[in-house]
């Protein structure tokens, strides 16, 4: 009787471990984000970093060109989403991609400095920012979804 209970508990434990291991099957742990100071980032396939979240509250911010030794080449989807304190942002030369909604609703963001090596800016990346909402900063604001930053913001 005691041996039967022990055997049932052992089998139950083994099955529980197997179930837990299968939960992680197929999960790509290399794509999981890492936190460094106020930035959360993930490594891309080419060994560079993409910022996926900002947890700070700076009003003026220069995005680092490297984090933990990895070159920052991308600002990900909603990385600075609703960072309402942010007023001035400088994006380094290393960044070539700005994701969809990256700075969406950073309502006080009025000064954006970036370089002309940014080759991809996702839809609504700067939507509902003070910069975006100022018509004089746009080439064409007939359709607010198509408002394009002027070259004066790009150095």
């Amino acid at each position: 009787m005691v041996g039967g209970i022990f055997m049932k508990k052992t089998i139950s434990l083994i099955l529980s471990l197997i179930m837990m291991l299968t939960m992680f099957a197929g999960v790509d742990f290399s794509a999981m984000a890492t936190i460094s100071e106020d930035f959360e980032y993930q490594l891309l396939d080419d060994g560079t970093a993409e910022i996926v979240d900002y947890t700070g509250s700076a009003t003026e911010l220069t995005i680092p060109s490297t984090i933990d030794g990895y070159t920052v080449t991308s600002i990900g989807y909603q990385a600075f989403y609703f960072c309402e304190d942010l007023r001035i942002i400088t994006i380094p030369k290393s960044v070539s991609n700005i994701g969809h909604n990256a700075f969406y609703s950073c309502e006080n963001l009025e000064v954006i400095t970036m370089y002309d090596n940014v080759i991809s800016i996702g839809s609504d990346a700067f939507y509902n920012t003070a910069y975006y909402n100022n018509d004089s900063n746009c080439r064409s604001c007939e359709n607010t979804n198509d408002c394009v930053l002027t070259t004066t913001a790009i150095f």
Side-chain angles (χ1 to χ4, degrees):
M1 182 81 163
V2 173
I5 293 174
F6 177 75
M7 183 62 98
K8 286 182 183 180
K9 286 186 177 187
T10 303
I11 291 173
S12 181
L13 178 65
I14 291 171
L15 290 175
S16 295
L17 288 171
I18 291 171
M19 287 174 50
M20 288 176 60
L21 290 174
T22 58
M23 287 175 36
F24 294 110
V27 174
D28 182 6
F29 289 102
S30 66
M32 294 181 74
T34 302
I35 297 172
S36 178
E37 295 183 20
D38 291 333
F39 297 97
E40 191 171 324
Y41 70 94
Q42 66 183 14
L43 294 180
L44 301 175
D45 290 339
D46 63 359
T48 63
E50 174 180 64
I51 294 174
V52 295
D53 193 23
Y54 174 70
T55 58
S57 59
T59 58
E60 295 184 28
L61 180 67
T62 297
I63 295 174
S65 59
T66 62
I67 296 179
D68 294 339
Y70 300 103
T71 302
V72 175
T73 59
S74 182
I75 299 170
Y77 171 75
Q78 296 184 348
F80 290 84
Y81 191 73
F82 278 99
C83 287
E84 294 174 352
D85 294 331
L86 194 57
R87 248 182 14 83
I88 299 170
I89 188 88
T90 301
I91 300 169
K93 287 182 179 181
S94 62
V95 171
S96 59
N97 177 62
I98 298 173
H100 301 291
N101 300 330
F103 295 92
Y104 188 96
S105 281
C106 295
E107 294 176 352
N108 295 307
L109 181 58
E110 58 189 357
V111 177
I112 302 163
T113 303
M114 69 177 83
Y115 296 86
D116 60 2
N117 57 314
V118 174
I119 56 173
S120 173
I121 299 177
S123 65
D124 295 332
F126 296 96
Y127 185 78
N128 200 29
T129 63
Y131 185 91
Y132 179 92
N133 293 334
N134 181 345
D135 287 347
S136 67
N137 290 329
C138 299
R139 287 189 215 140
S140 168
C141 290
E142 293 169 13
N143 176 350
T144 56
N145 289 330
D146 294 330
C147 188
V148 178
L149 298 176
T150 62
T151 54
T152 57
I154 302 174
F155 298 95

